[in-house]
C-alpha cells in the first residue's frame, strides 16, 4: 500500500480522507488510533485529548454511546501537510433516538503521514429514523453510496 504522506496533492488528500472515513466506520478504536502520532493532540468539541491511549479511551466511550454509527467525510481543502474536511454521521442512542451530527475537522500531519493534530467542531441534529440517509451495512461505506454533496448535506 502506498503511504499517503505530505506534501499532499488533491488526489492524495482525497484518498487520505477516504482512508480516515473507512477507519472510523470500522468503529475499532485501536485500529483508528494507529493513524495518529503517539503524542497526537486533539480538540473534539470541548474535550482535549492527548496521545493514542486517550484516543482509544475517547473512541471506546464514543462508540458505546453512538450506536449504529455511519460516517461520511468529504475533503474541503488541503495544503502541503494539512487537510480540512467536512463530515456528517448518523447514530442513535440507547433509547432509540436518532441524530445526524455535522462538523468540520482540521488535520495536520507529520512527514510520515501520521496525524499529529486534529481539531473538530461538531453539532448534533435530532432526526426521525425515517429521515436517515446512511443505510449501508455497518462498516465501510460502499463506493457507490452517495457522498455528502450528492445527498445535499
Amino acid at each position: 500500500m502506498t503511504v499517503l504522506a505530505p506534501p499532499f496533492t488533491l488526489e492524495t488528500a482525497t484518498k487520505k480522507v477516504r482512508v480516515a472515513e473507512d477507519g472510523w466506520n470500522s468503529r475499532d478504536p485501536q485500529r483508528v488510533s494507529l493513524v495518529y502520532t503517539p503524542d497526537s493532540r486533539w480538540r473534539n468539541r470541548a474535550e482535549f485529548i492527548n496521545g493514542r491511549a486517550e484516543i482509544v479511551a475517547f473512541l471506546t466511550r464514543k462508540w458505546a454511546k453512538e450506536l449504529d454509527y455511519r460516517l461520511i467525510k468529504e475533503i474541503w481543502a488541503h495544503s502541503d501537510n494539512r487537510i480540512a474536511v467536512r463530515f456528517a454521521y448518523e447514530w442513535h442512542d440507547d433509547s432509540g433516538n436518532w441524530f445526524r451530527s455535522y462538523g468540520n475537522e482540521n488535520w495536520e500531519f507529520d512527514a510520515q503521514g501520521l496525524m499529529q493534530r486534529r481539531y473538530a467542531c461538531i453539532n448534533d441534529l435530532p432526526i426521525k429514523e425515517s429521515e436517515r440517509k446512511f443505510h449501508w451495512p455497518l462498516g465501510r461505506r460502499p463506493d457507490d453510496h452517495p457522498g455528502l454533496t450528492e445527498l445535499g448535506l
Side-chain angles (χ1 to χ4, degrees):
M1 179 177 164
T2 304
V3 175
L4 298 169
F8 294 113
T9 64
L10 178 58
E11 179 184 4
T12 59
T14 301
K15 287 180 183 176
K16 192 77 163 177
V17 171
R18 182 57 193 245
V19 168
E21 175 188 313
D22 292 348
W24 280 63
N25 276 328
S26 76
R27 297 177 332 278
D28 179 341
Q30 196 65 40
R31 172 185 167 190
V32 171
S33 74
L34 296 177
V35 303
Y36 299 94
T37 60
D39 62 347
S40 184
R41 297 180 58 154
W42 287 17
R43 183 189 44 76
N44 194 86
R45 300 178 193 250
E47 189 169 352
F48 295 85
I49 299 152
N50 296 293
R52 286 183 180 158
E54 288 185 21
I55 290 169
V56 169
F58 169 80
L59 293 173
T60 300
R61 285 191 321 273
K62 173 184 180 63
W63 290 321
K65 174 189 173 200
E66 296 177 356
L67 307 174
D68 291 325
Y69 174 97
R70 290 171 178 85
L71 165 73
I72 300 176
K73 290 183 182 283
E74 183 175 282
I75 190 166
W76 187 254
H78 74 91
S79 67
D80 289 340
N81 73 330
R82 293 181 174 164
I83 299 174
V85 300
R86 65 189 200 94
F87 63 87
Y89 60 91
E90 294 180 347
W91 58 281
H92 67 86
D93 63 19
D94 59 3
S95 297
N97 300 303
W98 280 92
F99 299 87
R100 185 175 304 119
S101 299
Y102 296 97
N104 300 290
E105 293 175 329
N106 296 308
W107 302 340
E108 182 183 79
F109 296 88
D110 71 5
Q112 291 72 46
L114 294 175
M115 195 182 301
Q116 57 193 9
R117 302 282 181 270
R118 175 183 173 269
Y119 303 105
C121 298
I122 307 166
N123 298 298
D124 302 316
L125 174 69
I127 61 173
K128 297 176 186 166
E129 186 171 4
S130 63
E131 296 173 309
R132 291 179 53 218
K133 295 180 182 269
F134 305 172
H135 294 284
W136 67 87
L138 288 176
R140 186 180 192 277
R141 176 174 55 103
D143 290 335
D144 63 349
H145 190 283
L148 296 177
T149 297
E150 293 82 11
L151 291 168
L153 299 175

